[in-house]
Amino acid sequence: MKYISTRDSSKDFNFEQVFIKGLADDGGLFIPHSIEKFSEDEIKSMSSLGYKDLAKKIILPFIGTFMSEKELTESVNKSYSVFRKDNVVDLINIGNSKILELFHGPTLAFKDIAMQLLGNFYEYYLNKNNKTINIVVATSGDTGSAAIDAIKGKKNMNIFVLHPHNKISTIQRKLMSTTKDKNVFNIAIEGNFDDCQNLVKAMFADKNFSNSINMSGVNSINWARIVAQSVYYFYSYFLAKTNQPINFSVPTGNFGDIYAGYLAKKLGLPINKLIVATNENNILHRAISAGEYKAEKVIQTISPSMDIQIASNFERLIYDLSDFDCKATKEIMSEIKETKKYIIPNDKIEKIQKSFLSASLNDAEVLNIIKSVYEEHKIIMDPHTAIGFGAINKVKTDGLNIVLGTAHSCKFPDAINDAIKIKPQLPEELKSILEEKEEYEVISKDLENIKKFIKTKSLT
Ligand SMILES: *Cc1c(COP(=O)(O)O)cnc(C)c1O
């Protein structure tokens, strides 16, 4: 499969370049030149596969010659053997809906599912090519711990994680900062997540710097993550075994996870609607319901992994809406950069609404949902998942709603305690992180300082 940047169709890239670079040099995001649908028969034949076999089938067409089918099988099997469920995820009933539990990996959020695979892809690539790499990533809380777990202790790579100081939950921080491996560096930025993300983008854009440290990124714009995430849409669709139309409600921040659902739809999975569920940082809800893509100030909420205004993956949708026209996409992206907003024309909103619906919930609504879900179903729902669950009552859909359960409730004990006066427990094997010594560096949001820090600790 050939890839291009959303901002320039004249250059082709292969999967290796797409995976290792993360972001195109022109600032655009990588996307396949074209996507071939699986046929109905192919989809039918996938419907009884276990998670690992299904993952292999879906990912294989995307990786080209990056690795052989046998090597992919090994990577997939290794990645998904660390999950607490044999089939990685679980689909449970809640009233007339279902929750797709994606948090049975080592760091208790859906991000483990793509990240474990990326860790093994890196290991394979670096070994084979005798290279070293420095991974730099911004996190709103869950990406960081998932990336660290996937990369810690692996040879030929260091990882630097920037998180917003005091703006993630204590458990989220401890999952990152108690790692003892020498190739892990945590940086607490005095700023918010968008600051962290902008700093990482600026480091990538500085070619002298990024080339000098062989910098690579695993943020949610990385195409390999999107592909890995599309697998569980297929898997849960098959598991639901219904003739009704199926909608997915997706707690959304950077638009990565839901874009993976959109990719599944493009690959031929007959998804009805994708519901973009946001917290009060609701730029995407405003964009999809009213055409106003305009960043406001980031508000701190009880669903910190979604405290994001600039949804990086949205550019991929803008490219689609622009009829795959890179020049038009580039113009829209510069308009957004200059004016901080994009008023989406009506014909494009109509196109969006063919596949997407949206809703936004505030903290009080989220606490209420956690409470009522617990009272009615005895399920402790994390605040992000609760937003996905609450969103289905705010939109009109036909058929079965599957809510993506993006995190384990024990990552957000304060919110759970506020809602139902219960302290959710960490799984036994993770309890030790509560006692262990933490290591992280607090740095102001000064690009030069951060570059200096990373440079001195980087592998060369
Ligand atoms: C990252 C994250 C999200 C948002 O996912 P995006 O791909 O950024 O839209 C939602 N919930 C949890 C728990 C997360 O960690």
Side-chain angles (χ1 to χ4, degrees):
M1 190 177 287
K2 278 186 189 162
Y3 294 85
I4 53 167
S5 157
T6 46
R7 300 187 194 179
D8 177 8
S9 59
S10 70
K11 275 187 233 124
D12 283 343
F13 301 88
N14 60 25
F15 180 81
E16 178 180 305
Q17 294 167 306
V18 165
F19 163 52
I20 296 296
K21 283 161 105 45
L23 192 71
D25 285 344
D26 58 21
L29 309 192
F30 292 115
I31 26 122
H33 192 271
S34 59
I35 289 178
E36 206 174 309
K37 272 193 172 123
F38 292 112
S39 69
E40 270 178 47
D41 282 348
E42 275 175 305
I43 290 186
K44 211 176 217 167
S45 75
M46 292 177 183
S47 64
S48 54
L49 295 178
Y51 194 94
K52 292 172 194 150
D53 289 334
L54 180 64
K56 198 186 82 184
K57 240 210 149 95
I58 291 170
I59 297 167
L60 188 64
F62 287 97
I63 64 169
T65 55
F66 177 68
M67 52 170 52
S68 68
E69 186 169 348
K70 183 164 164 281
E71 287 157 340
L72 176 64
T73 304
E74 281 164 13
S75 259
V76 165
N77 289 347
K78 190 171 169 197
S79 301
Y80 295 139
S81 63
V82 300
F83 283 69
R84 288 182 297 282
K85 300 273 172 192
D86 283 346
N87 276 309
V88 183
V89 301
D90 215 356
L91 190 67
I92 65 162
N93 292 319
I94 178 163
N96 294 327
S97 306
K98 290 182 188 285
I99 302 176
L100 173 57
E101 293 184 345
L102 301 170
F103 46 74
H104 298 296
T107 71
L108 311 169
F110 81 88
K111 302 217 165 67
D112 284 323
I113 296 178
M115 215 59 94
Q116 287 294 325
L117 192 66
L118 261 62
N120 289 314
F121 277 8
Y122 273 117
E123 188 171 52
Y124 169 84
Y125 164 83
L126 297 175
N127 254 336
K128 183 174 160 194
N129 297 292
N130 207 5
K131 283 192 173 161
T132 58
I133 222 165
N134 292 284
I135 294 162
V136 184
V137 59
T139 184
S140 56
D142 294 325
T143 298
S145 54
I148 287 172
D149 194 274
I151 282 156
K152 68 181 185 193
K154 285 195 159 70
K155 275 192 290 189
N156 308 323
M157 50 190 138
N158 279 359
I159 176 163
F160 299 86
V161 177
L162 280 63
H163 74 262
H165 189 37
N166 291 332
K167 291 192 173 68
I168 62 176
S169 84
T170 306
I171 304 286
Q172 285 181 315
R173 192 188 63 240
K174 287 189 181 213
L175 279 168
M176 301 195 284
S177 62
T178 58
T179 312
K180 287 178 200 66
D181 295 87
K182 295 265 180 300
N183 68 337
V184 174
F185 300 91
N186 281 291
I187 305 171
I189 299 290
E190 292 175 314
N192 58 36
F193 170 70
D194 285 339
D195 294 322
C196 297
Q197 190 158 256
N198 286 336
L199 287 162
V200 173
K201 279 187 189 159
M203 283 185 259
F204 268 109
D206 179 345
K207 288 291 148 213
N208 272 337
F209 177 77
S210 55
N211 291 337
S212 76
I213 64 162
N214 254 336
M215 183 170 159
S216 187
V218 293
N219 268 114
S220 71
I221 50 149
N222 194 304
W223 181 255
R225 277 181 69 180
I226 306 271
V227 173
Q229 286 169 204
S230 70
V231 175
Y232 46 72
Y233 286 89
F234 281 86
Y235 188 72
S236 58
Y237 193 103
F238 299 143
L239 219 53
K241 289 207 174 41
T242 171
N243 294 323
Q244 300 178 71
I246 295 185
N247 313 294
F248 286 94
S249 183
V250 187
T252 294
N254 246 327
F255 204 70
D257 205 8
I258 196 157
Y259 189 86
Y262 186 55
L263 174 63
K265 191 168 169 158
K266 283 170 183 254
L267 287 169
L269 190 69
I271 295 172
N272 185 36
K273 292 282 197 249
L274 292 157
I275 304 165
V276 176
T278 76
N279 64 24
E280 282 177 274
N281 298 292
N282 59 3
I283 176 169
L284 289 173
H285 171 54
R286 283 180 280 119
I288 291 165
S289 59
E292 188 197 52
Y293 186 81
K294 179 168 178 259
E296 306 280 353
K297 231 173 128 55
V298 179
I299 303 167
Q300 215 174 325
T301 73
I302 57 171
S303 47
S305 306
M306 290 156 49
D307 288 347
I308 294 169
Q309 285 286 341
I310 302 150
S312 306
N313 279 291
F314 200 60
E315 180 166 347
R316 291 197 163 106
L317 187 65
I318 290 179
Y319 166 81
D320 272 31
L321 297 173
S322 311
D323 295 321
F324 317 108
D325 179 340
C326 297
K327 202 163 151 267
T329 307
K330 192 176 169 182
E331 276 162 16
I332 293 169
M333 293 318 294
S334 359
E335 181 189 331
I336 293 174
K337 195 165 181 203
E338 272 160 38
T339 65
K340 302 274 175 268
K341 67 168 192 289
Y342 170 48
I343 302 301
I344 308 174
N346 278 336
D347 60 320
K348 286 188 179 150
I349 299 178
E350 275 167 29
K351 255 199 224 169
I352 297 181
Q353 291 176 348
K354 284 208 175 99
S355 300
F356 296 94
L357 297 170
S358 70
S360 149
L361 278 83
N362 64 31
D363 280 356
E365 291 173 301
V366 175
L367 290 173
N368 268 331
I369 286 171
I370 296 172
K371 187 158 178 276
S372 65
V373 164
Y374 184 68
E375 283 167 357
E376 267 179 60
H377 307 282
K378 289 284 162 283
I379 291 171
I380 305 180
M381 204 177 247
D382 103 280
H384 304 79
T385 308
I387 289 176
F389 189 66
I392 58 182
N393 291 324
K394 293 202 175 198
V395 297
K396 281 203 187 68
T397 53
D398 302 319
L400 173 71
N401 294 309
I402 299 180
V403 178
L404 268 57
T406 50
H408 193 298
S409 57
C410 70
K411 276 189 127 168
F412 307 96
D414 295 342
I416 303 301
N417 191 47
D418 283 349
I420 53 174
K421 302 279 168 291
I422 289 177
K423 281 246 177 269
Q425 296 293 306
L426 284 170
E428 214 44 57
E429 67 270 26
L430 286 170
K431 281 192 173 151
S432 62
I433 64 161
L434 298 174
E435 314 300 329
E436 278 164 30
K437 189 172 163 289
E438 290 190 66
E439 230 173 287
Y440 61 95
E441 199 85 18
V442 182
I443 305 184
S444 69
K445 57 181 182 189
D446 178 80
L447 179 62
E448 292 311 313
N449 264 341
I450 294 158
K451 282 204 281 202
K452 207 187 299 163
F453 177 84
I454 292 178
K455 182 96 191 175
T456 54
K457 311 272 183 194
S458 60
L459 268 186
T460 47

